[in-house]
Every structure is written in C-alpha cells, then in structure tokens.
Amino acid sequence: MSDPQSVHTFQVDLRGLVDLLSHHLYSSPRVYLRELLQNAVDAVTARQAAQPGAPARITVHTGETLSVTDTGIGLSEADVHTFLATIGRSSKRTRDGALDGAGLDAARGDFIGQFGIGLLACFVVADEITVLSRSAADDRAPTVEWRGRSDGSYTIRTLPPSALPEPGTTVRLTPRADSGEWTSPGQVVALARHYGGMLRHEVTVVDPHGTAVRVNEVPPWELPHPSPLARREALARHCADTFGFTPLDTIDLDLPVAGLRGVAHVLPTAVNPSRRAGHRVHLKGMLLSDRAPELLPEWAFFVRCVVDTTSLRPTASREGLYEDETLAAIRDALGARIRDWLTGLAASDPGLLHRFLGVHHLAVKALARHDDELLRMLLPWLPFETTDGNVTLEEFTRTHATVLVTRSVEEFRQVAPIAAAAGLGVVNGGYTYDHDLVHRLPEIRPGTTVTDLDPGTVTAHLDPADPAAELSAAAFLATAREVIGQYDCDVVLRSFQPVTAPALLLDNREARQERNRAELAGQSEGLWADILGALRSEAPRAQLVLNHLNPLVRRAATITERGLAVTTAEALYGQALLMTRRPLRAAESALLNRAFIGLLNHAMHEPTHDRHDPRPGKDA
C-alpha cells in the first residue's frame, strides 16, 4: 500500500524576489515609473474597449508621496484579491492567454504588460504601496483599497465610492530615503518623458506646487506638415533631440502588416562597423529599449532608428526584444526598406548619394557583396583607393581598360608610385570587401578586364637599363645579389619614374609566405621541421629593382670596394623595405641598423679633400 501524499504550495519570499528584480531583471530602479505608466495605459485601453469615448488620462503627482492616477477600467474587490495578491497573474490574460476581467474580449495585443510582475517594481523604491481602485463596470461599485508591504503582507478594505471621484485607479507610494534620486519631481518628469513620450493617452506630471507638464506628444512622422521641407526639418530636429546629431537624411519606416511605424536617421559621420547601433523601440507607445541593435541587419550600422510597434514581443524585463520569427521578419523588412532608399538615391538624388558614399561606403560594400541588384546599381559609384587617387570605379575605368588589383595594402603601397608613373591602373584591394568587389566589375561593365597584380606585371612595364650601363654595374650588381639573396630577393637594374625613387621592392603574398615558412623551418627541429620542409614551394622570389635614372644608384654602381658595396646594397634594400610600410622581421631590422652604422662609419673616415673644409676661409 503506497504512502499517502500531501500537496503543498510554493511559498514566495517577497523581499528576495524584489532583490532579484532590482539587481538582475531590471537594469535600474527607474523602471518603477515605466511599470506604473504601463499599468495605467493598459487600464485606460481596457476601459475604452468596453466603453468607447471614455476619458483617457494619466496623471502623476510628485512630492513626499508619489501617485499615478488613471481613468481606466478599475478593479473590483474580487479583482484585487485575484490580481494584486498573486505574483505572475495578469489582469490582461487568463491561463490560456485570453483577456480576463470585466468580461472584455479585446485582443491581448492591445496591452503592453503580460507578465503580472509590474507592480513589484515599485518595491524597488518604496516599502509600501497603496492602490485605490474603483471599477468602471458598475456605477455603484465601491472603492477598494489594497495596501501591500515589501515583507509580503497586504490588507484590503472597502471604501465608499466617493473615495475616488471617478472610476479608475490610483497607485500611491512613499519613496524610501535612499530612492530620492529616482523620485524627485524633476527626475519624475524626465523619466515620464523618457518612457512615455510617445504614448497615445494624455500623460501629465504635476509637481508639489500644482504646476502641470504634459510629457507626451505625437511623433513628428505622424503629424501633417505644410511641405516636404518642413517635414524634413521637423524630423531633423527630432533626431537632434533624440540622438544628438543632425541626420544626413531620414528614411520613413512603415510596415502596416507588422504594426510598425517610425524613421531611420542616417548618420552624418562614419562609424566603426563592428559597433552595433542602439535603436529606440517603443511598444504601443511605451519605450521598450533605447539600445536595440537587433532591430536592423548588422550591415545597417549607418542609421539610428526610432520605431513604434504593436507586434514585437518584449523580454520579461521589458527592456529588450524577444528573438523570434516576427523579429526576424521585421528585421529583414526594415533592411529591405533601407536598401530601397539606397537604390533610389542613384536616380533621385545623385548628390546626396555621393555625400552618403563618401561617409558610409564601407556599409554599402558589405551589402553589395551579397546583393546583386545593389551591386549593379552602386558599384560604379563606390570610391576606391587607386593610382589615380580616391576615385569611383566609373571614373577609373574611363582611362584604364585593364584594372590591376592588389591583394594587400602593402602590395599597393609598394607599386603605387611606380605604377602611376608607368600609366598602370592599380586598385588597392587590401581593404575589407574591395578585392572581391573589384573582381565583379566586369559583370557591370562588360569589356573591362580585372586581374590580380604580380611583380612580373610591374617589371614588364619598366624600361630596361642601357646595356652599357648594365655592363658597367655588373660588379656592384653581383655583390648586391649575393648580399640581398640571403633574404630571398633578386636584384635587377631598370629605368623608371619617378627619378627620386632609388629602389623598388616588388613582393607578393606567395613570396612572403615562402619566406615565413623557411624562417620557421630554420627555427624548428625534428618532425615539425620536416613538415615545414615538405611544404616548400617554388613561389617567385621578391625583387629589388634599382632605378638607374636615380643619381644615387648610378653612383653606387661605380663602387669597387667590396665593403662599401655591401653596405650600400643593404642600405638600398632597407630603404625599399621601409617604403612598403610593412612590419620588419628581426633580420631586416638588424640589416637596417648595420647599413646605417656602416654608412656613418664610412662617412666619418672619408678624406677631407673630398668634402667642404669646415675651417673658415678653407674650401676644397
């Protein structure tokens, strides 16, 4: 025979629960006012659903006590027992999600609160809460007073109807001494405007002197304006007040199916793409979050949004968006709206498009890689770093039928001055997205050829040195090849512009990888050294191209003393290394130091008859 089982109910430690809310669920004690406003809005919404035309007012009184009064549906004594004394029970829903209380059948989506824990937020700033409520369902309904304390106890008593002048609810609390920063009159006005600035019902804050301030207004994108210019200026002022900047442009966001309206303000300055934007999301007029990066796709980091929606779901803290299929669909739809704005600029406002791309070209490049239509429309407008300067591909291809593109910034910096002088059209493909996008240019402009740049292409466009000059420099070149060959680099003599460049180091990714492999293999032992050795490739070596047009190189070619020739070759190689602006390896740094000291030592020991005599009146 089985043992009889007894059924018990959970006991709730209210103090512990309030501590959990204040330190883990809510980001700040200031949310207490949001919860009070939210409950008031839902009560007004419920009454208007049952009694169309009923008054819709929410009034906040500040002072030693703080109270929020609404003209909403109110609560009967049974409702007070059911909803105020049961944590997690909401008057906006029943167990199956349907609306409860007063026989209403309005949709659950008309209400903001759903979790039944909003009133607990008040215990974050007060030890006692008093609720006076009078049901609007019965003209003769009494006023019910509920008084709850943070220790978990509460009392209920029935008062005459006259205790409240009209149906509705008043929530009153006496703030604790340590909550003064959140309940002072000025702070209450600021919080009410912050959270309830877009609520549809009238919200007024009254200070201890009786001065009333309305804190909410209709958003500017929903107001009629005398002209498009006036509307644009109103939206710009709204952006400045909300985000602190004047937008480059404003994009209307209207998704009727999702119950979403708002605007996206385009930033006038560039931002880091990895820094997710914070957007302001209002749920049925109540601010849900002012840091909601998940509202838009990651590539849309160049806008800041303000939206009001009825379909998105909040998290339990009502400070973020619940990630579900609805949010994903809205995110895609808003991304499409911003994309349409971009493509429309090409036809409607090329000047604005140029200004936008000058600031946010990185965002467009990121999007164009995965959007063929946008690629076809905007790729020719995008700026790239080229041997002709920062220009669009449209401008660049007018003078260069063949477009050469580097794989790294270092490669571009190596060849840019020489390629420009030789008439080669080179694009820096080392920046994010640029290499892939330039290679797709033939899709947009048939007949254009795009190919990766390699050292052979550059050297093929350099003029060979005169055979006589090559012969006279043979001894120096042999020494230079012996010395510089230790760094996996060949030495050749050419003539090229500009004359001021004594040497050019032509290198590519494969050659650098092979040098790195060889260096690691030399430092390794055993199996790992064998593995690295097996990976040896026949990648082309780097090339140090000496410019015979440069006076310094011509003079170096006549050096016969081996020690000075070695030092000179190292110095020319080191100077070419520095021009690439890439990090130097330990051996290369040692070479630069050795070449500098060697040249300095040679200069200090040079005979004085070859130099100006520093003594007064004495010249060589």
Side-chain angles (χ1 to χ4, degrees):
M1 181 174 179
S2 60
D3 295 333
Q5 296 181 357
S6 57
V7 178
H8 305 276
T9 59
F10 285 102
Q11 301 299 311
V12 177
D13 180 353
L14 190 58
R15 287 188 184 275
L17 184 57
V18 170
D19 181 72
L20 178 66
L21 292 176
S22 60
H23 290 96
H24 300 283
L25 185 61
Y26 296 131
S27 62
S28 165
R30 66 179 183 170
V31 299
Y32 81 93
L33 189 61
R34 181 197 67 189
E35 299 295 339
L36 290 175
L37 291 176
Q38 184 169 283
N39 287 341
V41 170
D42 285 342
V44 170
T45 301
R47 184 175 181 185
Q48 288 193 323
Q51 302 173 5
R57 298 188 308 275
I58 301 170
T59 307
V60 182
H61 286 85
T62 62
E64 292 186 3
T65 62
L66 185 142
S67 66
V68 177
T69 300
D70 65 69
T71 58
I73 193 67
L75 297 172
S76 65
E77 183 174 356
D79 293 333
V80 169
H81 280 286
T82 302
F83 301 120
L84 296 188
T86 305
I87 296 172
R89 186 74 179 273
S90 172
S91 62
K92 273 79 77 174
R93 58 178 169 81
T94 59
R95 186 172 301 171
D96 62 0
L99 190 66
D100 199 3
L104 299 177
D105 59 359
R108 175 184 175 184
D110 293 337
F111 301 95
I112 305 173
Q114 301 172 6
F115 299 98
I117 60 174
L119 198 61
L120 290 180
C122 296
F123 285 121
V124 175
V125 296
D127 288 326
E128 184 174 284
I129 304 171
T130 300
V131 178
L132 292 173
S133 191
R134 179 179 160 197
S135 175
D138 184 356
D139 293 339
R140 297 172 297 177
T143 298
V144 181
E145 180 192 76
W146 178 90
R147 192 182 297 270
R149 300 174 182 82
S150 59
D151 61 4
S153 63
Y154 68 92
T155 60
I156 296 178
R157 62 173 180 160
T158 302
L159 303 176
S162 58
L164 279 180
E166 59 180 325
T169 300
T170 295
V171 179
R172 185 179 300 122
L173 52 91
T174 302
R176 293 194 304 270
D178 61 355
S179 302
E181 65 173 307
W182 304 112
T183 56
S184 64
Q187 182 69 277
V188 170
V189 171
L191 292 178
R193 185 171 284 125
H194 177 73
Y195 287 116
M198 285 175 52
L199 289 173
R200 300 301 188 264
H201 307 314
E202 178 183 338
V203 181
T204 305
V205 178
V206 182
D207 67 15
H209 305 291
T211 303
V213 177
R214 178 162 181 173
V215 297
N216 62 322
E217 58 186 13
V218 179
W221 56 84
E222 295 186 5
L223 290 172
H225 297 278
S227 67
L229 177 60
R231 186 176 189 273
R232 190 178 304 115
E233 291 175 346
L235 292 174
R237 288 192 299 271
H238 170 266
C239 178
D241 293 341
T242 305
F243 296 112
F245 66 85
T246 300
L248 193 65
D249 197 13
T250 298
I251 308 167
D252 280 301
L253 304 176
D254 192 2
L255 303 176
V257 176
L260 183 145
R261 290 198 66 182
V263 290
H265 299 294
V266 182
L267 286 161
T269 55
V271 292
N272 189 334
S274 63
R275 181 181 176 184
R276 298 296 302 274
H279 308 293
R280 291 178 64 89
V281 178
H282 295 255
L283 180 61
K284 306 174 184 73
M286 180 70 69
L287 179 67
L288 179 66
S289 174
D290 55 5
R291 300 182 301 274
E294 63 272 21
L295 182 68
L296 292 183
E298 291 187 8
W299 58 261
F301 55 81
F302 54 87
V303 298
R304 297 291 182 270
C305 292
V306 183
V307 300
D308 186 26
T309 178
T310 61
S311 59
L312 292 177
R313 293 174 58 192
T315 58
S317 66
R318 289 192 283 278
E319 296 182 330
L321 297 173
Y322 185 81
E323 189 70 45
D324 57 9
E325 293 181 356
T326 302
L327 176 58
I330 287 179
R331 180 165 51 235
D332 291 343
L334 293 179
R337 178 66 191 89
I338 295 172
R339 172 188 165 282
D340 291 343
W341 170 81
L342 272 174
T343 56
L345 285 183
S348 64
D349 198 338
L352 177 58
L353 178 61
H354 272 296
R355 294 197 301 274
F356 171 79
L357 292 178
V359 177
H360 299 297
H361 57 272
L362 190 59
V364 180
K365 289 178 179 179
L367 179 58
R369 291 178 68 227
H370 308 289
D371 190 317
D372 291 343
E373 182 179 349
L374 193 67
L375 177 75
R376 287 192 297 272
M377 186 166 294
L378 294 182
L379 181 58
W381 297 76
L382 291 171
F384 290 83
E385 185 179 3
T386 74
T387 47
D388 290 353
N390 282 311
V391 298
T392 65
L393 293 181
E394 181 75 22
E395 299 173 83
F396 193 66
T397 52
R398 290 174 189 163
T399 54
H400 302 286
T402 298
V403 177
L404 302 172
V405 57
T406 65
R407 289 185 173 273
S408 69
V409 175
E410 290 79 9
E411 289 177 14
F412 178 80
R413 288 170 177 168
Q414 289 172 28
V415 304
I418 313 304
L424 296 176
V426 183
V427 178
N428 186 352
Y431 295 117
T432 307
Y433 313 126
D434 285 11
H435 183 269
D436 293 342
L437 288 174
V438 175
H439 270 282
R440 298 191 65 182
L441 185 60
E443 301 175 25
I444 315 303
R445 292 182 63 89
T448 302
T449 301
V450 177
T451 184
D452 283 340
L453 179 70
D454 60 71
T457 304
V458 179
T459 52
H461 285 79
L462 303 181
D463 295 329
D466 183 84
E470 185 97 30
L471 184 62
S472 64
F476 175 77
L477 291 175
T479 301
R481 287 170 182 141
E482 176 188 346
V483 173
I484 307 304
Q486 302 175 45
Y487 303 94
D488 293 317
C489 183
D490 293 330
V491 180
V492 296
L493 186 66
R494 295 287 187 274
S495 297
F496 55 86
Q497 297 291 335
V499 175
T500 54
L504 168 67
L505 182 62
L506 294 178
D507 202 358
N508 59 21
R509 179 181 299 181
E510 290 76 14
R512 288 196 298 272
Q513 288 175 343
E514 173 59 20
R515 287 199 305 274
N516 290 335
R517 183 211 60 78
E519 185 176 2
L520 287 173
Q523 299 172 355
S524 304
E525 297 179 356
L527 179 61
W528 183 238
D530 293 339
I531 293 174
L532 290 172
L535 295 175
R536 179 183 179 88
S537 68
E538 297 301 325
R541 289 153 59 95
Q543 282 189 336
L544 177 65
V545 184
L546 302 180
N547 186 4
H548 188 255
L549 298 181
N550 182 270
L552 177 64
V553 172
R554 288 204 302 270
R555 185 177 178 186
T558 65
I559 296 175
T560 56
E561 188 212 331
R562 177 174 172 79
L564 181 58
V566 169
T567 301
T568 302
E570 290 181 335
L572 288 170
Y573 178 65
Q575 189 268 348
L577 271 174
L578 293 176
M579 293 299 293
T580 66
R581 304 182 192 178
R582 65 173 172 83
L584 299 180
R585 296 180 296 173
E588 294 168 342
S589 297
L591 175 143
L592 279 172
N593 186 58
R594 184 169 63 249
F596 173 76
I597 293 176
L599 290 176
L600 184 61
N601 184 62
H602 177 79
M604 293 174 66
H605 289 83
E606 185 178 336
T608 56
H609 66 268
D610 288 338
R611 296 177 288 136
H612 170 71
D613 194 321
R615 292 175 295 173
K618 300 291 183 179
D619 291 314

